[in-house]
Amino acid sequence: MKVSLNWLKRHVDLPESAEEIEKALTAAGLEVEGKEEPGKMFSGLVVAKVLTCEAHPDSDHLHVTTVNDGKDTLQVVCGAPNAAAGQTVVFAPIGTELPMPNGEKLKLKKMKIRGVESNGMICAEDEIGLSENHDGILVLDSSIPAGTPFVNLGFYDTVFELNVTPNRPDALSHRGVARELAAKFGRDLKPIDFDLKESADDTASRISLEVVPNAGCSCYVGRVIENVKVAPSPEWLRRLLSAVGLTPINNVVDITNFILMDIGQPLHSFDMNQLSGNAIKVRRARDGEKITTIDHRDHELKSSDLAICDGDRPACVAGVMGGVESEITDKTVNVFLESAYFNPTIVRKQSKRLGISSDSSYRFERGIDPFMQEFACNYASALIGALAAGTVLKNPLKYVGEDHPKTGAEVWIRVSRAEKVIGIPYEADQIRKLLTSIGLSEKMPCAAAPEKGEDTLTFVVPGFRPDLEREVDLIEEVARLTGFDQIPYSVPSFEARPNNLPADEVLGRKIRYALSAMGLHECLSLRFSNKAITSAVFGAPSENDPRSNPAPLLNPLSEELGVLPTSLVPMMLKSVAENEKNRPGSVRLFEVGKAQFAEPEKRSDRDPGFKEVPLLCAVIAGHWKTKALEEKPAAVSFADMKGLLVSFMKRLGLHAELRKPARAEAFLHPEIQAEILCGKQVLGFVGNVHPSVLKKFDIGYETYLFEINLNQLEAATRKKVTFTPFSKQVPTSRDISLEVDKHMTHESILAKIKGFNPKNLAEIQLKSIYEGEKIATGKKNLVYSLVYQAMDRTLTDDEVNKTHNKLREKLVQSGEITLR
């Protein structure tokens, strides 16, 4: 909101500078976002006296004058037709810089005009930024002494741009802002004086009023002013309105705008001759009724809208904007002036629906003073009578509904509580003085502080402060008026300890750090899924697989996102397809998310009927890595995915094992999939995506993925980890070549070797796998490197050979393994 300093001075004495006032406003909670000081660019102007004025010897319109600027008498050439001796004028001495219309500055110099020396300039209004008038020089009051800085005369205003919070409707008027400054500087507000002269005729003899109860208008006051002379407003009024960004229109409309910005009460003036039926009715609009507002836009009203109607049609959208048919024009003679209180919610809704925002609706929406309507109407009527020569009829029309507040709310405050909250000791009289300075009045006030043992003061809150509802609100006002910078503070002494993160968050971070370090990129999908891609992975809905029965959303964002996810696999495969199209080569993704499963049999107020399962899904597709000395990158394989999975589990401090699944996943290759175990607990599955599924997603890459239940994984990570120190002794390795059946797995061979518990065996490494012509059909050859290492000493060759040979003998005993 724009606030004029000259306007504020109409309500409170403010000898302070603009900078001091700016600080005071900010300290009072009214943040100053900007400040306009046009007078600064005219600081060089002074008041001067014209001593002589003669015709220019070489011009028929120029004058040669002598002026005294309080210090020197100077010769100045002036072209104004109204220049004359004895005038008090505005003078721009040599060196003064004046702004030009093109944005540049004109610096005055000593010069000759048609052969006559000129030492400065006598100014017109447009040349010094007061108006666009260039008819002649500005003539001032003769009582102003020469040499007075022109900016000190009040012609230039300072305008503050305030950021007013929604809970402070009182600060949306100059009176409200002046009240804050008066309280801050310890001064009294000036009374608003006006002389309301009424005629002998009664308002009811000209027009009738009907307000439908509970329609949204709880108070309505109307006056009739006859025989007005609509004309331009006086200069003081035009200056004030222009300063705050309002365009002067005519004296009647300008007065209603003045009252709005002055005391915060919106008013509306009707041309009575354009109101049919000599009646005003406040009611809800009928569906389909139309009105053309004064911005010349047509609107169709609804039954939820509140309208001010004449005899048969809406003439104004209540609290928002008037109709064009009854607006004040140069032909207006009789005026009906409205001052009302409209329901803030109704005004806000109809303003938003109609797309109309006005200064009036802005204030009605935030809540105006409910006890201001009659005073504002009388104030405006008196001004219209004085400035527009109107005749004000007596006995205004009034309506006050049962739903209208009768008195201000009562709120109490405890002195001891204020001391405890603010941290400053207070006396009751201090609190009285502070709160009464902003318009509150004490209930049953007394001169002395409460008696010993009495701690509570009760105040009646004025209508312009609807934000004061509780004791803490009054305590905040006491703190604000005291000054937040006056509140003592001390740094508390305490020991800061970080809170432990929830277990699922700890695990989630470990997962993200581990997989990111291993070259995978985290994928963040929407929390909804697609029924079609769910069916593409898990098949038609089946009772045997709850993942095939996703729960539909009642109000989906789109058909593509119409169900809750039951697995991360479908959306991950969709991401693979999109990555293949846009970034061919290699896809390495992982995602941490949740699956939701409907459980309608458990539905209750506390149980919405859904079970959430946190999941981790990782996928690799395309190329995994480029092998040395090979031009073409190698495609991903099950070994790559297995190595990734085992390494990932190691980073979490777990040992993962793979085994043939008890129940194969249909969307994975039947021969290239496995269950993921940690101990005896099944965590999830891993495998190669079936070609038929890849075809449905239009994926051309070889694709491997795994999905893990994070509840099971988190339970596994809770097991106590015991540190085993590593040996510092020199290791010794021996190779062993085994010929086994083609279907025997690496895991089973490892289990056999470990089952024999060879002494000092520290590590087993698979070096190579061979299948070919030099080996029997249905067989394969595996070469292992066994590392032997003791904790306390370096092993001798005899010790290692003895243990290794014993292991070789045990491996061939079952007949499944042949040594090569």
Side-chain angles (χ1 to χ4, degrees):
M1 173 185 167
K2 288 187 174 183
V3 176
S4 158
L5 180 55
N6 286 344
W7 204 327
L8 291 174
K9 290 179 179 178
R10 294 170 62 91
H11 294 282
V12 63
D13 292 325
L14 293 172
E16 289 79 11
S17 66
E19 289 71 22
E20 291 175 305
I21 293 173
E22 180 181 357
K23 290 180 181 179
L25 288 170
T26 301
L30 303 176
E31 180 186 359
V32 178
E33 293 187 325
K35 183 173 61 174
E36 300 174 10
E37 295 182 279
K40 280 191 172 183
M41 66 180 68
F42 299 105
S43 58
L45 301 178
V46 296
V47 176
K49 303 289 185 177
V50 179
L51 304 180
T52 63
C53 180
E54 299 176 355
H56 192 287
D58 192 26
S59 174
D60 59 355
H61 70 278
L62 296 177
H63 300 87
V64 179
T65 67
T66 55
V67 299
N68 180 270
D69 63 357
K71 295 180 180 179
D72 302 309
T73 299
L74 305 168
Q75 180 175 281
V76 179
V77 177
C78 178
N82 64 330
Q87 292 176 330
T88 301
V89 296
V90 182
F91 179 61
I94 291 174
T96 304
E97 292 185 344
L98 297 178
M100 302 292 289
N102 60 3
E104 298 180 356
K105 290 185 178 181
L106 172 65
K107 187 173 183 179
L108 298 182
K109 302 177 181 179
K110 183 186 291 187
M111 61 185 302
K112 286 188 177 182
I113 301 177
R114 293 197 178 185
V116 177
E117 185 178 275
S118 181
N119 299 278
M121 184 172 73
I122 302 175
C123 302
E125 290 188 17
D126 66 328
E127 294 167 332
I128 56 178
L130 295 182
S131 71
E132 297 181 359
N133 182 13
H134 194 70
D135 294 339
I137 59 174
L138 176 62
V139 180
L140 304 175
D141 191 293
S142 60
S143 64
I144 304 174
T148 303
F150 181 64
V151 293
N152 292 349
L153 300 182
F155 284 87
Y156 297 111
D157 203 350
T158 297
V159 178
F160 302 100
E161 183 75 34
L162 302 185
N163 178 13
V164 181
T165 54
N167 66 327
R168 290 296 305 274
D170 61 302
L172 295 176
S173 69
H174 284 80
R175 184 73 173 180
V177 176
R179 184 181 297 109
E180 293 296 317
L181 291 174
K184 190 68 179 176
F185 294 125
R187 302 189 184 111
D188 294 329
L189 280 175
K190 298 177 183 179
I192 299 177
D193 295 324
F194 57 86
D195 184 14
L196 177 60
K197 298 178 181 179
E198 298 177 302
S199 70
D201 293 332
D202 201 295
T203 303
S205 65
R206 303 292 194 274
I207 194 169
S208 62
L209 172 66
E210 179 184 354
V211 179
V212 176
N214 301 314
C217 175
S218 60
C219 179
Y220 194 97
V221 179
R223 275 192 175 275
V224 173
I225 304 102
E226 296 181 332
N227 302 317
V228 299
K229 296 180 180 179
V230 178
S233 298
E235 184 64 25
W236 67 267
L237 181 53
R238 295 202 304 271
R239 289 187 188 277
L240 290 178
L241 294 178
S242 298
V244 296
L246 296 179
T247 302
I249 300 174
N250 57 55
N251 47 9
V252 175
V253 175
D254 291 350
I255 287 169
T256 60
N257 287 334
F258 170 80
I259 297 297
L260 173 70
M261 304 304 295
D262 192 52
I263 60 176
Q265 172 65 48
L267 303 174
H268 186 69
S269 53
F270 298 87
D271 185 335
M272 272 194 63
N273 294 342
Q274 303 303 318
L275 297 175
S276 63
N278 295 325
I280 289 290
K281 184 172 183 179
V282 185
R283 60 171 173 81
R284 292 294 180 97
R286 303 182 184 96
D287 287 332
E289 282 188 313
K290 296 182 179 180
I291 184 173
T292 302
T293 49
I294 58 176
D295 59 357
H296 298 281
R297 292 171 56 193
D298 296 328
H299 302 279
E300 184 173 309
L301 303 181
K302 293 186 175 181
S303 58
S304 59
D305 298 327
L306 181 63
I308 312 299
C309 306
D310 58 11
D312 55 8
R313 68 190 189 282
C316 177
V317 181
V320 180
M321 189 173 287
V324 70
E325 293 184 1
S326 59
E327 69 175 328
I328 304 297
T329 66
D330 295 342
K331 298 179 182 179
T332 299
V333 177
N334 301 320
V335 173
F336 179 75
L337 184 65
E338 163 194 289
S339 178
Y341 182 90
F342 299 120
N343 184 285
T345 302
I346 293 176
V347 174
R348 180 170 57 253
K349 287 183 177 180
Q350 63 192 24
S351 173
K352 184 177 181 180
R353 189 185 69 78
L354 297 174
I356 306 175
S357 180
S358 63
D359 289 324
S360 295
S361 65
Y362 186 79
R363 285 158 177 79
F364 274 122
E365 289 171 16
R366 283 153 180 78
I368 63 171
D369 186 347
F371 311 118
M372 176 72 73
Q373 287 67 52
E374 185 170 3
F375 175 83
C377 191
N378 292 340
Y379 187 10
S381 299
L383 288 176
I384 295 175
L387 302 183
T391 302
V392 183
L393 274 62
K394 68 177 182 179
N395 298 329
L397 303 177
K398 299 180 186 177
Y399 168 81
V400 179
E402 293 295 327
D403 54 339
H404 193 70
K406 302 301 185 293
T407 60
E410 294 182 3
V411 182
W412 48 264
I413 179 174
R414 291 166 292 176
V415 178
S416 59
R417 182 62 178 167
E419 291 180 358
K420 185 175 182 180
V421 172
I422 302 174
I424 298 177
Y426 284 99
E427 297 291 339
D429 282 341
Q430 289 178 278
I431 294 179
R432 282 195 184 98
K433 183 177 180 181
L434 291 173
L435 294 181
T436 54
S437 70
I438 56 171
L440 279 71
S441 57
E442 188 180 3
K443 185 179 180 182
M444 295 185 298
C446 57
E451 296 180 4
K452 187 174 182 180
E454 295 182 5
D455 188 42
T456 303
L457 302 174
T458 302
F459 290 90
V460 178
V461 178
F464 53 78
R465 289 302 302 272
D467 57 311
L468 304 181
E469 301 176 336
R470 302 166 297 168
E471 180 188 29
V472 69
D473 297 330
L474 297 190
I475 294 174
E476 182 181 2
E477 289 300 292
V478 172
R480 185 175 65 84
L481 295 170
T482 301
F484 293 119
D485 57 338
Q486 301 300 315
I487 299 175
Y489 66 90
S490 59
V491 179
S493 176
F494 61 92
E495 183 180 356
R497 294 181 179 178
N499 290 329
N500 293 326
L501 292 172
D504 57 344
E505 178 64 21
V506 173
L507 179 60
R509 294 189 180 190
K510 287 182 178 179
I511 291 171
R512 290 178 173 90
Y513 294 156
L515 292 176
S516 296
M518 296 169 71
L520 275 69
H521 305 284
E522 184 173 6
C523 181
L524 298 174
S525 303
L526 290 174
R527 293 298 88 194
F528 305 120
S529 188
N530 185 332
K531 188 174 182 179
I533 64 173
T534 302
S535 299
V537 175
F538 300 110
S542 169
E543 295 182 358
N544 298 326
D545 189 352
R547 295 174 300 179
S548 64
N549 289 285
L553 297 173
L554 295 178
N555 187 21
L557 295 173
S558 67
E559 293 183 3
E560 294 294 318
L561 301 170
V563 298
L564 293 175
T566 57
S567 169
L568 301 181
V569 171
M571 292 301 286
M572 287 295 284
L573 291 178
K574 184 178 179 183
S575 296
V576 171
E578 292 174 354
N579 276 269
E580 181 179 353
K581 293 176 183 177
N582 298 293
R583 190 183 177 188
S586 174
V587 180
R588 310 176 187 186
L589 300 174
F590 76 92
E591 181 171 12
V592 177
K594 292 182 179 179
Q596 283 97 10
F597 299 94
E599 294 183 333
E601 67 278 2
K602 295 183 180 180
R603 189 176 297 279
S604 66
D605 292 339
R606 291 186 174 271
D607 186 349
F610 282 89
K611 175 185 177 183
E612 290 190 338
V613 180
L615 298 172
L616 164 66
C617 184
V619 59
I620 60 174
H623 305 148
W624 178 242
K625 62 184 177 180
T626 302
K627 294 182 179 179
L629 304 179
E630 289 186 5
E631 294 183 359
K632 294 183 178 180
V636 295
S637 65
F638 185 76
D640 294 323
M641 176 53 86
K642 179 182 176 183
L644 173 70
L645 177 60
V646 172
S647 178
F648 164 66
M649 296 295 282
K650 282 184 177 180
R651 287 172 182 257
L652 298 182
L654 301 173
H655 175 68
E657 295 181 357
L658 302 182
R659 75 177 182 191
K660 186 176 180 179
R663 176 184 173 187
E665 295 285 356
F667 64 90
L668 296 178
H669 194 292
E671 299 297 328
I672 313 177
Q673 61 173 293
E675 287 181 338
I676 306 171
L677 286 87
C678 185
K680 295 182 180 180
Q681 181 65 52
V682 177
L683 302 182
F685 56 83
V686 60
N688 177 219
V689 181
H690 200 285
S692 63
V693 176
L694 294 178
K695 185 176 180 180
K696 294 177 183 177
F697 285 87
D698 196 20
I699 298 174
Y701 289 156
E702 191 78 6
T703 303
Y704 293 84
L705 60 77
F706 69 77
E707 187 173 72
I708 293 176
N709 184 320
L710 294 186
N711 284 334
Q712 307 292 351
L713 184 63
E714 193 274 329
T717 58
R718 277 192 258 122
K719 295 180 180 178
K720 187 175 180 181
V721 178
T722 303
F723 173 71
T724 302
F726 59 88
S727 175
K728 299 179 182 181
Q729 307 302 321
V730 177
T732 302
S733 64
R734 296 288 187 272
D735 289 348
I736 185 170
S737 180
L738 308 177
E739 182 179 308
V740 298
D741 186 80
K742 183 178 180 179
H743 296 290
M744 183 174 285
T745 63
H746 168 63
E747 294 289 341
S748 63
I749 296 174
L750 286 180
K752 285 180 178 293
I753 295 174
K754 293 178 181 179
F756 297 137
N757 195 22
K759 188 175 182 181
N760 295 321
L761 180 62
E763 187 176 353
I764 306 171
Q765 295 179 354
L766 176 62
K767 296 179 66 176
S768 66
I769 302 175
Y770 174 75
E771 293 181 57
E773 298 176 356
K774 297 181 180 181
I775 195 168
T777 304
K779 300 288 185 177
K780 63 182 176 182
N781 186 74
L782 292 84
V783 177
Y784 288 90
S785 178
L786 308 181
V787 179
Y788 296 91
Q789 188 179 29
M791 292 294 295
D792 56 346
R793 57 194 171 82
T794 300
L795 296 172
T796 65
D797 285 343
D798 290 340
E799 289 178 301
V800 173
N801 291 337
K802 183 178 179 181
T803 302
H804 187 70
N805 291 333
K806 188 175 181 180
L807 174 63
R808 288 167 59 90
E809 292 173 1
K810 290 182 178 180
L811 284 173
V812 298
Q813 286 179 355
S814 63
E816 296 178 308
I817 299 175
T818 303
L819 297 177
R820 291 176 63 88

